[in-house]
Amino acid sequence: MPTGARILVDSLKREGVKVIFGIPGLSNMQIYDAFVEDLANGELRHVLMRHEQAAAHAADGYARVSGVPGICTATSGPGTTNLTTGLITAYWDSSPVIAITGNVPRSVMGKMAFQEADAMGVFENVTKYVIGIKRIDEIPQWIKNAFYIATTGRPGPVVIDIPRDIFYEKMEEIKWPEKPLVKGYRDFPTRIDRLALKKAAEILINAERPIILVGTGVVWANATPEILELAELLHIPIVSTFPGKTAIPHDHPLYFGPMGYYGRAEASMAALESDAMLVVGARFSDRTFTSYDEMVETRKKFIMVNIDPTDGEKAIKVDVGIYGNAKIILRELIKAITTLGQKRDRSAWLKRVKEYKEYYSQFYYTEENGKLKPWKIMKTIRQALPRDAIVTTGVGQHQMWAEVFWEVLEPRTFLTSSGMGTMGFGLPAAMGAKLARPDKVVVDLDGDGSFLMTGTNLATAVDEHIPVISVIFDNRTLGLVRQVQDLFFGKRIVGVDYGPSPDFVKLAEAFGALGFNATTYEDIEKSIKSAIKEDIPAVIRVPVDKEELALPTLPPGGRLKQVILRDPRKSS
């Protein structure tokens, strides 16, 4: 007669789960006991992470690359609460992660039992959904429900909290659900509104300076082909949000980069100058539109295509809102445009945007004797990697350099923590991505500060033979914080500079990984190629000057037009 733990494992397997990231403890130990045979026969793989935050990030990376939910598990109390940062990261970036947490027995809940934590209270505002299991017979239905909730509408993380005494209970007759059943929850429908489609088509056809803004919703809808077809049909330039840059091949002639706070100036200026903006799979984030007033003052027409209708009017009133699956809606929009016919010559507008790109390039690609420049480091890494290599980032200056300079050549190959800006995301997310796509080269572009947040999980990468490559931009400081202090806090730099510890090469070798000290561009290329060939985890330390800035940037609370392109500390 199967136990609650066995029923849980079988429920996960029935949903196609192959990999579980986690750490066992008193309250989820029975789950581990239940899947011993599944590990032995290769039906499941468990990856023992070194911190629960990293387990959630790894599940997140797995989800973003594979398109199916990533699974993580933790014990009660600190195990559960340690998941919080990883899960809110997935929530803000719309990634389907499912966390299975064990809790104290039902008989002692609410009595300050050892390692008791209120999972429902902790997670209710940082995940898409959280459920506390009360009976063994609820497990099969709620596992199916969790997959449905996590993947429908705007994707997001779901937590299933189970008291450990339920894992020991037994149930003779198991009713395996055929479909999800969640009272009060329903998927956002895709409604084809012909009038709205016609109006959107007319706006785009008649606009003199239209632009398309893409977000990660394009990736989840697999709508990249439709975006490119629409852009090519009407000769419309494409810009993106920061995370949305993973949706469009950067070598496409109509893509001009991510706009926003640390985005490319040409993308931001083109977005401001446009007279109609089609927003697909993106929200009006304050990192993209740093001043809503500035955007409203352009008096442009806004068309929004989004799975989530609540995104439409939060910050900017849209002229046409069409809500549902972006791929389906874009196909219908293309039909509507084709029916109406193209009316405008956009050569002047495209020439204008290309001139922006050429103008701003003079500020980006500068050389400095004796120093490795971030743009050239990125270019060197890009040239050493296959076109379909998957790249993750940590959070900090290196992330902003990746925003501006990293070239995404295939959709779904760039993963970053954009909504929450979580330091430590890069390494564990890369590990999850590698397990989702073991055939791909996976590289973590990281900073010294960000890497150290979760760097202990390099031990997992070595033990589990997950051959990811971490390139650490080592400037011995929390660079992005230091930059703001330097530029906007009167050079009152405090609490950000590191000393000589650690030696990243020795640290890597201590974990059993390869360690490289790349002090030239040639070293970087050789190190990348060597790491790929050796096929084991590797750390490549690249020294970067502490005074190097992440540019373009804006003053805190600034408008896009206030973009800073040159180092203001240097005389022109």
Side-chain angles (χ1 to χ4, degrees), residues 11-32:
S11 297
L12 291 171
K13 288 171 63 180
R14 290 171 75 93
E15 297 299 325
V17 172
K18 302 295 183 186
V19 182
I20 299 173
F21 302 92
I23 301 177
L26 178 64
S27 291
N28 68 340
M29 200 178 300
Q30 193 66 13
I31 303 173
Y32 282 73

Side-chain angles (χ1 to χ4, degrees), residues 31 42 66 75 78 94 101 118 121 140 149 211 226 318 325 355 383 392 411 439 474 480 508 570:
I31 303 173
S66 68
T75 191
S94 304
T101 56
D118 177 11
I149 295 168
I211 201 162
E226 285 72 21
V318 299
N325 181 284
E355 286 171 351
Q383 291 175 339
T392 68
D439 56 320
D474 184 9
L480 207 55
K570 298 177 181 178

Side-chain angles (χ1 to χ4, degrees), residues 3 44 84 90 99 175 185 209 224 285 383 391 418 429 507 519 528:
T3 63
L44 284 179
T84 308
K175 293 182 180 179
Y185 176 87
R209 301 180 304 281
T224 297
S285 163
Q383 291 175 339
V391 163
S418 56
L507 181 70
T519 58
I528 291 280

Side-chain angles (χ1 to χ4, degrees), residues 390-438:
I390 296 166
V391 163
T392 68
T393 81
V395 169
Q397 277 185 316
H398 67 279
Q399 182 192 29
M400 303 301 97
W401 292 323
E403 176 173 7
V404 175
F405 300 122
W406 184 256
E407 288 192 338
V408 176
L409 300 178
E410 299 285 346
R412 211 186 279 273
T413 60
F414 181 79
L415 287 62
T416 193
S417 171
S418 56
M420 191 49 53
T422 304
M423 293 178 70
F425 176 81
L427 174 62
M431 293 163 61
K434 183 66 177 178
L435 288 180
R437 293 302 304 269

Side-chain angles (χ1 to χ4, degrees), residues 3 5 91 115 166 175 184 196 245-246 270 291 299 333 342 398 417 450 477 480-481 494:
T3 63
Y91 184 46
Q115 289 194 330
I166 292 179
K175 293 182 180 179
K245 70 178 281 174
T246 194
S291 165
R299 305 179 69 84
L333 181 57
Q342 187 176 346
H398 67 279
S417 171
S450 189
T477 188
L480 207 55
V481 182
V494 58

Side-chain angles (χ1 to χ4, degrees), residues 1-174:
M1 193 182 299
T3 63
R6 184 65 237 176
I7 293 168
L8 170 67
V9 172
D10 285 342
S11 297
L12 291 171
K13 288 171 63 180
R14 290 171 75 93
E15 297 299 325
V17 172
K18 302 295 183 186
V19 182
I20 299 173
F21 302 92
I23 301 177
L26 178 64
S27 291
N28 68 340
M29 200 178 300
Q30 193 66 13
I31 303 173
Y32 282 73
D33 183 70
F35 63 47
V36 169
E37 287 75 20
D38 300 287
L39 300 185
N41 64 28
E43 289 187 45
L44 284 179
R45 179 172 182 179
H46 174 259
V47 181
L48 177 59
M49 304 300 290
R50 298 306 190 260
H51 192 282
E52 289 86 357
Q53 176 186 339
H57 288 328
D60 189 351
Y62 186 97
R64 296 195 203 194
V65 167
S66 68
V68 300
I71 311 299
C72 58
T73 183
T75 191
S76 61
T80 290
T81 58
N82 280 348
L83 288 173
T84 308
T85 299
L87 292 178
I88 195 171
T89 299
Y91 184 46
W92 242 238
D93 285 350
S94 304
S95 183
V97 172
I98 295 174
I100 313 292
T101 56
N103 212 327
V104 300
R106 288 168 290 183
S107 60
V108 297
M109 275 190 170
K111 299 177 183 178
M112 295 187 71
F114 175 67
Q115 289 194 330
E116 180 181 4
D118 177 11
M120 299 285 285
V122 168
F123 292 121
E124 67 175 346
N125 291 316
V126 299
T127 61
K128 187 175 180 182
Y129 206 91
V130 56
I131 182 68
I133 298 293
K134 300 293 191 295
R135 303 187 316 273
I136 186 173
D137 62 339
E138 294 178 331
I139 293 173
Q141 184 67 63
W142 272 106
I143 293 297
K144 181 162 284 294
N145 291 349
F147 277 77
Y148 174 67
I149 295 168
T151 56
T152 54
R154 181 202 289 262
V158 176
V159 176
I160 304 174
D161 188 62
I162 308 176
R164 74 170 180 262
D165 56 308
I166 292 179
F167 291 137
Y168 291 87
E169 286 186 1
K170 294 182 178 181
M171 187 169 68
E172 189 169 350
E173 290 189 24
I174 306 168

